[in-house]
Amino acid sequence: AESISSVLYPDDRTYKGKELRLKQQHFFVSATLQDILRRYTAQHGSLENFSDKVALQLNDTHPTIGIAELMRLLMDVYKWGWTASWEATTKVFS
């Protein structure tokens, strides 16, 4: 994690810079989404009504990786099916 977070906004004119930038984007987006899901379940006991209570704005191209990451978390970690995960994700990222 230190190599990912030690340089913010690496020069992405090279392959290594682009690779680091993508790793950073995934790292920070995933950490943020995991924290949101953790806090929501701690406060509400489950993810019921999650997509009715949480809204996330994609204000740049970089955080769009959050769509795929929320799907992954809901399906792999929380064991939701594809349809329920997709419905929640499209509501959260409206």
Side-chain angles (χ1 to χ4, degrees):
E2 185 177 329
S3 65
I4 290 175
S5 61
S6 65
V7 176
L8 192 56
Y9 300 113
D11 182 1
D12 61 1
R13 290 178 288 180
T14 65
Y15 178 81
K16 281 193 171 252
K18 288 177 181 166
E19 181 180 34
L20 178 56
R21 193 80 175 257
L22 182 59
K23 286 179 180 179
Q24 285 180 334
Q25 291 167 14
H26 182 263
F27 177 81
F28 290 120
V29 166
S30 182
T32 300
L33 289 172
Q34 288 179 54
D35 186 53
I36 290 168
L37 291 165
R38 179 189 59 78
R39 288 174 186 235
Y40 188 90
T41 55
Q43 185 174 12
H44 300 282
S46 74
L47 288 177
E48 187 176 346
N49 299 319
F50 173 75
S51 60
D52 295 326
K53 304 286 185 185
V54 175
L56 300 173
Q57 180 176 336
L58 300 173
N59 60 353
D60 199 353
T61 57
H62 308 304
T64 58
I65 198 168
I67 295 167
E69 183 60 7
L70 182 57
M71 285 290 292
R72 184 193 74 77
L73 291 168
L74 291 175
M75 293 179 70
D76 294 350
V77 176
Y78 292 92
K79 306 301 182 199
W80 285 23
W82 174 271
T83 303
S85 297
W86 182 245
E87 287 175 2
T89 299
T90 57
K91 284 174 103 175
V92 168
F93 291 107
S94 56

